[in-house]
Amino acid sequence: MDLTNLKELLTEDDAVSPVIGVILMVAITVILAAVIASFVLGLGDQAQQATPQASFSFDYSESDSNLKITHDGGDSILSDELYVRGTAGGNSNTGVWHNLPSSSPGSGSDVTAGNSVTLGTGTDPVPADYDVRVVYETQEGDSSATLAQDTGPGA
């Protein structure tokens, strides 16, 4: 074995630079393909929950002292994630959205356009100075948003 050939072989680095270049180009290509695939397949959208877009109308009846809240349009929302919150006559009122015409809360059902709930029926009338909000809150409870708000004619 000739030591001069071994020394020359160890000091020669002609092939190192192209190999590193090819490895870097492959790595960049794989990373770009993963980013593009996540956008195309919509995987990035699943990481965050979007607040639903919906409109609600409020109809207060002074003669009956009740407030009817109606889902006018937009996204359908799981009834377990909708709450009616606010104050009425200085008292704090909290309620869960019902999917009417059912008399019991529509647990697990979707609230869609045309569904409504009436507050103040029976022995618990809604005074004219109410201030209520329709609130969306995820079942996990990690985020919430006010979808609609209304104040009474006496507020």
Side-chain angles (χ1 to χ4, degrees), residues 49-56 70-79 81-82 97 99 109-115 134 136 145 147:
Q49 296 176 347
T51 301
Q53 301 296 315
S55 62
F56 295 88
T70 305
H71 182 285
D72 287 334
D75 297 334
S76 61
I77 306 167
L78 191 64
S79 63
E81 296 179 333
L82 275 180
W97 182 274
N99 189 359
S109 59
D110 281 343
V111 176
T112 58
N115 292 137
V134 176
Y136 166 78
L147 301 178

